[in-house]
Amino acid sequence: MNIVKRLRTFLTLCLVLGVMIWLGHGMETKAAIVSTGHQKYSYTEYRKDLQQLQKKYPEYCQVNVIGKSADDRNLYEVILGNAQAKKHLVVIANLHGREYMTTQLCMSQIEYYLKKYNKKINGTKVSKVLNEVAIHYVPSSNPDGTAISQFGFGAIRNKSLRAALRKMPGSTTRWKANARGVDLNRNWAVAFRRGGTRGYAGFHGNKAASEPEVKALVKMVNRIEKRGKIVGVVSYHSTGSILYGRCASNATSKVEQITTRMYKTAQSLTGYRLMPTESISSAAGCSREYFLYERDIPCITLEIGRGACPLSIREFPSIWKKNKDVVIREAMLFD
Ligand SMILES: [Zn+2]
């Protein structure tokens, strides 16, 4: 082979290799684990995504089962960053079944923060923040309610639960409650009183924390607080592009001060409208009031979306744009 031929072969090889690297890089940046292009982000898909995220980022992400729903689905906690940190931020989504886009949003945030782990967001290194403040996500707190909203009562596997559900009022698509017809955002041990009737929405339960999903969340909070401090809770719901960040006079001044910082951060990113103060009695049994007044933990609630729930997937891109940095920026308030 003469020198010209050798050189030509070498250059061709370089070109092929270059194209392969370029293609590979393109695929790497495009290959998201969490899909946000379809309407029904199901429990099966959610579980598969959690497995893949853990496999891809084993050093930065830990997945625990914190309990089971009434229909025996796993309730997952995803810990980002240093689980032994002194400070912890808790994110709770999908307490209401039909608000399942909040699961998709949290899963996308998790993947995005993991991808950016050794990079910066808003000028701060993500790894530095997560080393000081671990984030504990519960992306789906009501997987049974979501299964009902997405696929109807047939998705409930337990025969007696299914039979009882068929007698309850309300449309399955608009189902907010769990598989026992209890509203999981009215079942917390704060100014609890009985109210509503078993069905798609508004039933408080027969007693505070009667539901396995609420019990599991409280147990998780107790476990975290045994070894560290929960600096704040971010709660995701999905009606109206609004924000709950004000405190009633029952809150300590410190809780109120930090909650204010938290809502201002969320407001600056999302532009969501801040709602007026709610009295403890009008918010009886609500999770946010439980954290603020029973546990002295600062807490904000974000309601994503504009349309009726379940939100159309067409809303996802604008919701993502507003919310993608929210949780990490909240953690940055405490690092
Ligand atoms: Zn809700």
Side-chain angles (χ1 to χ4, degrees), residues 95-96 99 176 185 236-239 303:
L95 267 176
H96 288 143
E99 299 174 22
K176 281 175 91 172
N185 205 27
Y236 265 118
H237 284 257
S238 60
T239 309
E303 301 263 5

Side-chain angles (χ1 to χ4, degrees), residues 17 85 88 113 146 182 233 289:
L17 203 66
H88 303 265
Y113 302 151
T146 290
V182 179
V233 174
E289 280 63 22

